[in-house]
Amino acid sequence: ALNTLSAIGSNIDPLVEETMERHGVTAASVAVYDRGQWYVAGYGENIDADTRFCIGSCTKAFTALAIAQLVEGIEDGLSHQT
């Protein structure tokens, strides 16, 4: 189930809006997963929780980071066993 971000705290909206203004971001969609619940919101003109954004090749960096963290975790686990 999807809930609005305001359901998890009234200080979320000002934080997102301040961050957007500081970095010159005109539109954003934010999702937070907490204790089995999704909380979503859209920020900017004509933006809501269902607005889709084209992220292009950004997923390549996310995937590379996830793999690096997995490898690092495996290496840490092995070094702790010796």
Side-chain angles (χ1 to χ4, degrees), residues 13-78:
D13 289 338
L15 175 65
V16 172
E17 291 164 357
E18 176 188 320
T19 302
M20 287 175 62
E21 185 175 330
R22 187 175 342 123
H23 295 284
V25 174
T26 59
S29 182
V30 177
V32 175
Y33 185 76
D34 182 44
R35 298 182 194 123
Q37 295 284 336
W38 280 103
Y39 300 90
V40 297
Y43 299 89
E45 190 174 325
N46 298 319
I47 305 296
D48 63 21
D50 296 320
T51 303
R52 293 178 185 234
F53 291 86
C54 180
I55 61 170
S57 294
C58 291
T59 56
K60 293 174 188 166
F62 298 150
T63 303
L65 175 61
I67 291 169
Q69 289 176 327
L70 284 170
V71 168
E72 186 177 277
I74 291 169
E75 289 173 351
D76 284 348
L78 291 174

Side-chain angles (χ1 to χ4, degrees), residues 5 40 80:
L5 274 175
V40 297
H80 287 113

